[in-house]
Amino acid sequence: MKNSILQEIRYKYSPKLPAILREDIHMIGARHGAPSRSESDHEALQSQFSHTYGLPGIIFEKSETKRAFDPIHVAVILSGGQAPGGHNVICGLFDALKHANKASKLFGFKGGPSGILNDDFLILTDEIVDSYRNTGGFDMIGSGRTKLETNEQFARCAQVCEEHDITALVIIGGDDSNTNAAVLAEYFASHNHAIQVVGCPKTIDGDLKNESIEISFGFDTAVKTYSELIGNIERDANSARKYWHFIKLMGRSASHITLECALQTQPTITLISEEIEKEGTTLQEIVDYIAAIVAKRSESNENFGVVLVPEGLIEFIPEMKLLIGELNTLLAKDGNRYGTIQDWDDRQTFIIERLSKVSCDAFQSLPVEIRKQLLMDRDPHGNVQVSRIETERLLAHMVSHTLEQMKHEGSYRGKFSTNIHFFGYEGRCGFPSNFDADYCYSLGYNAFLLIVHGCNGYISSITGLTKPAEQWKAGGVPITMMMNMEMRHGHMKPVIKKALVELEGKPFKYFASHRDTWAYTTSFTYPGAIQYFGPAEVCDQPTMTLKLEHQE
Ligand code: FBP
């Protein structure tokens, strides 16, 4: 296979590690903090995680005593959607393991969590690892969305690990995968299997974050990739002055990606799902808000603009949330019968007859294409696949309709031509930014240290990320500390709390205080492509969200 020049050059990039992780690995010690506590639901969590709840947080520091390491077998799994930097987590883990003892082995289970169940793995060698350093994608071992959550699956994991003398498993995933990692860790501990589980925080969505996890990896590269594309579109819009571009951005429920892209590109309009939910804004009110800005700008001949729409928006609009909730329950219950109906009109009748009056009205107010999209297959959690619903098209269509009415009434005389875009997969496998390359390598290297310091049910934590990498802190926190109890499929379940955009947080407040200016005075900024070589202020900057959140 022929490599691009950038790929060849990126192989040679040496990720920056926190100073402590650059020490001789045999001379790194662990300082234990006080017993940890979850933010809520202590008793329920304690009873479900009797072996792994309440463990102390750990910080690595230089030790005076030299430690020798016996050879061990460790395995790694990539779980869920791709995020730039995943390969570097594995490279960091591999390098640390080999620094500690060359005879140790790293197993990569293939295709995500199903790899362990199917006993399908690769033994990672220098040759394999070297050909993936600092590259995007998860193709070194592949990923998948199989959930490890039942006792039968856990028993199978133990059996496969024991067959290969694997004593530690590193699971690289988002909130659900790390929740399941914690449950697996508890299972191993309570069933006397000497297998440790350590998690690493991955997801472009940026919704796995808290005090110990400042950001999940991949977010940085994804938002910079989208911001480059949005900036390019803004410049095109500003040059041609004839299109309104509606751009949907990935991110599932949370609007972190959209908010960060807005901070980087200052578009005309940005919708933030969390605010829409809090204000109880209806779909027509959102449309009226956009139409009013379009009309106002048209008075000065500015018949163009850029609108950012978060992927999960539809689920936060009150009447749509109700509708989607009813559809989810209905399809979970009667999905098989629904699946046997072929004719679209019959399908609609089947659905309409089972919806409440309010949801029925909401459903029928939507264009047929969107109705069909709302009825597509659910994901493994039973949720609607928001990436497949064309909310951006729906909004463009409804705004156009509202403007027609305004034209009729004489309150609008402009022109409204739209272009529709969805940026999602474009940002998940790019070459990791220097930030993600450094952060991911550190997370993986650090995960190995957590293993040799006996941690089970911990997540790799690198903090102080707005400072230069050398000053980052390395350690780990028990996953149970990040959990609470939530209703899932009718039962209270322990889960890692998803972090949505905080309306009281500095990033949102900064955006809110600027959005009116950006709406009426074209203020586009053009971030350009991610730079890998050059001055640190161009190449090594964290996101604006991270900087604003950690502003002193
Ligand atoms: P993870 O939460 O697994 O990291 O995936 C994130 C994501 O990219 C979402 O933004 C998006 O909604 C979803 O994956 C798309 O899933 P799929 O890759 O299965 O189409």
Side-chain angles (χ1 to χ4, degrees):
M1 192 177 72
K2 189 174 176 324
N3 291 324
S4 69
I5 295 174
L6 181 64
Q7 180 153 334
E8 288 294 339
I9 292 180
R10 282 308 270 175
Y11 285 155
K12 301 190 187 102
Y13 176 75
S14 208
K16 298 185 273 302
L17 276 173
I20 181 63
L21 300 187
R22 283 196 274 117
E23 295 290 341
D24 174 354
I25 201 159
H26 304 91
M27 303 291 292
I28 301 176
R31 179 160 48 89
H32 292 75
S36 64
R37 236 173 111 78
S38 57
E39 260 178 51
S40 59
D41 306 307
H42 324 285
E43 274 151 37
L45 288 166
Q46 198 160 24
S47 76
Q48 296 208 24
F49 294 90
S50 55
H51 297 76
T52 49
Y53 184 87
L55 297 170
I58 280 181
I59 284 283
F60 291 117
E61 53 188 23
K62 196 164 172 358
S63 155
E64 295 309 316
T65 26
K66 189 163 182 156
R67 232 184 113 171
F69 297 110
D70 291 331
I72 53 169
H73 289 182
V74 173
V76 62
I77 295 177
L78 288 164
S79 179
Q82 282 67 250
H87 287 154
N88 266 27
V89 180
I90 300 179
C91 295
L93 175 64
F94 179 84
D95 288 351
L97 169 125
K98 294 288 179 183
H99 287 171
N101 191 317
K102 277 205 173 350
S104 290
K105 279 192 185 157
L106 182 60
F107 290 61
F109 282 112
K110 283 158 69 178
S114 61
I116 188 167
L117 303 175
N118 300 331
D119 195 8
D120 187 10
F121 62 87
L122 266 184
I123 305 259
L124 297 171
T125 58
D126 279 315
E127 199 190 347
I128 296 174
V129 170
D130 287 349
S131 62
Y132 288 96
R133 288 186 190 271
N134 306 303
T135 59
F138 278 7
D139 38 330
M140 184 197 294
I141 54 174
S143 184
R145 290 201 182 276
T146 302
K147 283 154 63 88
L148 296 178
E149 55 181 355
T150 66
N151 278 352
E152 291 71 34
Q153 289 174 323
F154 295 160
R156 172 73 181 146
C157 291
Q159 185 197 7
V160 170
C161 287
E162 283 164 359
E163 267 167 27
H164 303 295
D165 291 328
I166 293 169
T167 53
L169 198 55
V170 175
I171 298 184
I172 305 173
D175 53 339
D176 280 326
S177 306
N178 276 289
T179 292
N180 294 339
V183 182
L184 181 61
E186 177 65 26
Y187 176 92
F188 286 157
S190 58
H191 289 73
N192 294 320
H193 295 293
I195 310 165
Q196 296 159 250
V197 183
V198 168
C200 277
K202 171 236 70 166
T203 176
I204 61 160
D205 299 350
D207 56 5
L208 170 50
K209 64 173 168 183
N210 47 53
E211 255 179 43
S212 320
I213 306 299
E214 294 178 359
I215 190 62
S216 52
F217 78 76
F219 178 76
D220 188 86
T221 312
V223 290
K224 286 174 180 165
T225 306
Y226 302 140
S227 295
E228 180 207 349
L229 299 176
I230 296 164
N232 295 350
I233 285 179
E234 287 182 339
R235 200 138 216 176
D236 195 294
N238 206 16
S239 308
R241 304 175 76 83
K242 62 175 181 182
Y243 291 126
W244 273 87
H245 294 269
F246 283 70
I247 306 175
K248 183 173 76 171
L249 291 160
M250 250 189 190
R252 225 185 265 280
S253 305
S255 308
H256 297 293
I257 289 183
T258 301
L259 178 57
E260 172 64 24
C261 290
L263 296 174
Q264 289 194 28
T265 61
Q266 304 188 175
T268 329
I269 299 173
T270 302
L271 304 173
I272 299 295
S273 306
E274 291 81 345
E275 184 186 30
I276 281 160
E277 179 173 56
K278 172 155 183 273
E279 300 298 327
T281 317
T282 64
L283 182 56
Q284 189 56 49
E285 284 167 345
I286 297 171
V287 169
D288 291 345
Y289 168 70
I290 301 173
I293 295 173
V294 173
K296 182 85 190 134
R297 284 174 64 91
S298 75
E299 288 169 14
S300 47
N301 247 340
E302 307 243 304
N303 290 305
F304 65 93
V306 169
V307 184
L308 300 189
V309 181
E311 181 179 71
L313 175 73
I314 194 122
E315 290 191 300
F316 287 76
I317 301 170
E319 69 274 26
M320 294 298 150
K321 185 177 179 170
L322 191 71
L323 167 63
I324 290 170
E326 285 187 29
L327 290 177
N328 286 348
T329 316
L330 198 160
L331 291 175
K333 207 165 124 252
D334 287 332
N336 288 346
R337 266 175 73 202
Y338 172 78
T340 60
I341 308 171
Q342 299 303 321
D343 181 70
W344 168 243
D345 288 335
D346 295 342
R347 285 189 152 200
Q348 286 202 95
T349 312
F350 181 89
I351 295 293
I352 287 166
E353 281 171 358
R354 286 162 177 80
L355 290 175
S356 67
K357 164 91 178 72
V358 187
S359 291
C360 186
D361 291 346
F363 186 70
Q364 287 182 308
S365 73
L366 297 168
V368 170
E369 271 319 303
I370 304 287
R371 287 186 219 171
K372 287 186 178 166
Q373 288 163 7
L374 283 173
L375 289 166
M376 281 184 308
D377 291 343
R378 272 32 193 170
D379 73 6
H381 307 273
N383 296 321
V384 69
Q385 298 188 51
V386 280
S387 63
R388 296 171 69 186
I389 299 180
E390 294 178 295
T391 330
E392 69 287 19
R393 194 176 294 282
L394 172 68
L395 287 172
H397 171 85
M398 290 181 74
V399 170
S400 173
H401 184 73
T402 299
L403 289 169
E404 280 305 314
Q405 282 174 338
M406 288 167 69
K407 220 170 220 175
H408 203 67
E409 291 156 7
S411 56
Y412 170 64
R413 276 192 290 278
K415 292 192 193 112
F416 185 66
S417 298
T418 57
N419 269 303
I420 305 298
H421 315 262
F422 168 37
F423 297 151
Y425 300 95
E426 294 83 346
R428 299 202 313 184
C429 284
F431 281 98
S433 60
N434 285 354
F435 175 89
D436 267 331
D438 300 344
Y439 180 43
C440 290
Y441 188 82
S442 304
L443 283 170
Y445 201 97
N446 186 59
F448 178 76
L449 281 168
L450 291 172
I451 293 167
V452 289
H453 283 89
C455 297
N456 182 31
Y458 278 64
I459 191 162
S460 178
S461 160
I462 302 286
T463 53
L465 299 173
T466 50
K467 302 197 177 106
E470 154 135 349
Q471 294 169 35
W472 292 352
K473 301 247 174 302
V477 285
I479 300 176
T480 50
M481 189 180 157
M482 311 182 328
M483 290 176 132
N484 68 355
M485 301 295 291
E486 286 177 23
M487 186 65 84
R488 295 283 164 98
H489 300 298
H491 300 282
M492 288 306 277
K493 289 242 161 140
V495 292
I496 295 179
K497 205 167 170 211
K498 216 182 242 314
L500 298 180
V501 166
E502 277 185 30
L503 303 180
E504 288 308 313
K506 287 184 188 153
F508 179 79
K509 283 196 164 168
Y510 180 92
F511 156 74
S513 65
H514 288 80
R515 67 175 143 193
D516 286 348
T517 311
W518 299 349
Y520 299 110
T521 313
T522 303
S523 310
F524 300 153
T525 43
Y526 314 118
I530 295 175
Q531 302 293 312
Y532 301 97
F533 307 98
E537 64 269 29
V538 180
C539 302
D540 296 343
Q541 291 303 309
T543 58
M544 286 182 69
T545 304
L546 208 50
K547 283 193 205 167
L548 287 164
E549 279 171 348
H550 296 274
Q551 210 172 44
E552 310 262 293

